[in-house]
Amino acid sequence: MISEIDTIKEDIYDIVAEIDDENVLIAVKTIIENIRSNALNEVTTDKRDLTGYIKEWVKNM
């Protein structure tokens, strides 16, 4: 499980490194900071549509 999480993290870092838009990077950081962890080796997120949240957040910037 830990190796899968490490692989996912590396993939995310590779993708984020290609983003040049500061607003997008701030949005990604906000989403990552809000991911809840229920256990040390288990990362879970609520399934919900974040599109509206991100649009409102960008409008407020």
Side-chain angles (χ1 to χ4, degrees):
M1 180 72 167
I2 292 175
S3 63
E4 292 175 11
I5 292 173
D6 290 341
T7 302
I8 292 169
K9 285 181 182 179
E10 288 178 24
D11 291 343
I12 291 171
Y13 291 141
D14 290 342
I15 293 168
V16 170
E18 296 176 6
I19 298 173
D20 291 329
D21 187 344
E22 183 178 356
N23 291 333
V24 174
L25 292 171
I26 293 171
V28 169
K29 179 182 176 204
T30 302
I31 292 169
I32 290 172
E33 288 174 348
N34 288 308
I35 293 175
R36 295 185 212 155
S37 177
N38 292 335
L40 183 60
N41 295 327
E42 181 180 342
V43 176
T44 60
T45 59
D46 295 336
K47 289 186 178 182
R48 59 185 174 186
D49 183 15
L50 296 176
T51 305
Y53 169 79
I54 292 172
K55 286 180 181 177
E56 286 300 316
W57 179 80
V58 170
K59 284 181 192 177
N60 291 327
M61 287 191 65

